[in-house]
Amino acid sequence: EAEVAQSPRYKITEKSQAVAFWCDPISGHATLYWYRQILGQGPELLVQFQDESVVDDSQLPKDRFSAERLKGVDSTLKIQPAELGDSAMYLCASSPPAETQYFGPGTRLLVL
Amino acid sequence: AQSVTQPDIHITVSEGASLELRCNYSYGATPYLFWYVQSPGQGLQLLLKYFSGDTLVQGIKGFEAEFKRSQSSFNLRKPSVHWSDAAEYFCAVGRTGGGNKLTFGTGTQLKVEL
């Protein structure tokens, strides 16, 4: 069964450093999402791509976060500089257009 | 704006007992509703979804959920809980069949006593 891949699974970094997360969606899924899940809360959407275009980044803190999906396949989410409050699980999901979202295993970030 | 409320933060049940997890949503049109399960340190696995039609939907692992428009609810049920069901459960609402922004509840942590 096809799955969404994410790496790394765990990342520890110091405040003010740069971090990057990678996501490879299920083959053929045009829509890709990045969510942030703070401990004890549900996931919140950061950015949504349709192919290589951003559809929704209204909740993305654009002063420090960036996301790209250059060829409309895999995607990278970057944080620079990282802050203590960025410690969370970062989840990637993908879906065919207007269909159910399937989630990857996530990247757990700890900022010290 | 769409929203989801899961009133129970923690629930403890004995293995073999029945389970019901509550979910209430707020949405201005016909909602698309989902239940996901998350084991510690893992991503979210889809249990079941409701788009339209029969209001009682069956999912994986013996779970089912019933959509009640009059109560704005989509409660998750299982007749007999297994120890492996211990996890966190999230209800979510979306505007289309999932291919658009999902709004999640805060989750219900399920503990199963042996």
Side-chain angles (χ1 to χ4, degrees):
Chain A
E1 183 176 311
E3 296 180 343
V4 176
Q6 290 188 247
S7 67
R9 292 294 309 277
Y10 304 93
K11 180 69 178 178
I12 300 174
T13 191
E14 294 186 344
K15 185 175 60 172
S16 79
Q17 295 299 303
V19 291
F21 313 132
W22 177 79
C23 172
D24 191 13
I26 294 172
S27 179
H29 283 193
T31 312
L32 184 147
Y33 314 79
W34 283 101
Y35 288 84
R36 177 171 59 185
Q37 183 180 21
I38 296 170
L39 192 63
Q41 298 182 21
E44 292 183 309
L45 181 70
L46 291 175
V47 61
Q48 177 184 344
F49 289 91
Q50 181 67 33
D51 298 308
E52 66 276 8
S53 300
V54 173
V55 174
D56 184 350
D57 64 355
S58 57
Q59 299 304 309
L60 188 71
K62 298 180 187 65
D63 57 335
R64 297 184 301 107
F65 285 64
S66 64
E68 61 182 16
R69 194 184 183 197
L70 294 177
K71 297 183 178 179
V73 181
D74 58 338
S75 176
T76 302
L77 178 70
K78 297 179 181 178
I79 308 175
Q80 182 173 17
E83 296 182 351
L84 297 178
D86 297 331
S87 294
M89 174 80 90
Y90 290 83
L91 295 163
C92 180
S94 71
S95 74
E99 292 294 334
T100 302
Q101 296 179 33
Y102 294 91
F103 285 79
T107 295
R108 182 165 294 282
L109 173 66
L110 177 61
V111 182
L112 301 176
Chain B
Q2 56 201 53
S3 66
V4 175
T5 300
Q6 293 181 249
D8 304 305
I9 298 174
H10 299 281
I11 282 186
T12 300
V13 299
S14 299
E15 188 175 37
S18 64
L19 172 69
E20 182 169 27
L21 301 183
R22 296 183 291 166
C23 172
N24 293 99
Y25 67 88
S26 174
Y27 187 62
T30 301
Y32 293 88
L33 295 160
F34 306 82
W35 275 100
Y36 286 87
V37 61
Q38 186 177 36
S39 297
Q42 301 298 314
L44 278 71
Q45 181 183 22
L46 179 69
L47 284 176
L48 48 78
K49 59 190 178 186
Y50 171 77
F51 289 174
S52 65
D54 192 346
T55 57
L56 183 64
V57 293
Q58 302 297 319
I60 62 171
K61 304 184 180 184
F63 285 92
E64 67 178 25
E66 186 171 13
F67 171 60
K68 293 185 177 180
R69 184 188 300 275
S70 62
Q71 298 178 20
S72 297
S73 69
F74 188 57
N75 294 348
L76 182 72
R77 300 193 295 247
K78 186 170 185 178
S80 178
V81 170
H82 188 263
W83 64 266
S84 60
D85 293 325
E88 189 152 24
Y89 292 79
F90 291 94
C91 181
V93 63
R95 289 198 295 269
T96 66
N100 211 323
K101 176 181 177 179
L102 288 181
T103 298
F104 286 85
T106 52
T108 297
Q109 185 72 46
L110 173 65
K111 180 180 176 182
V112 180
E113 292 183 332
L114 300 176

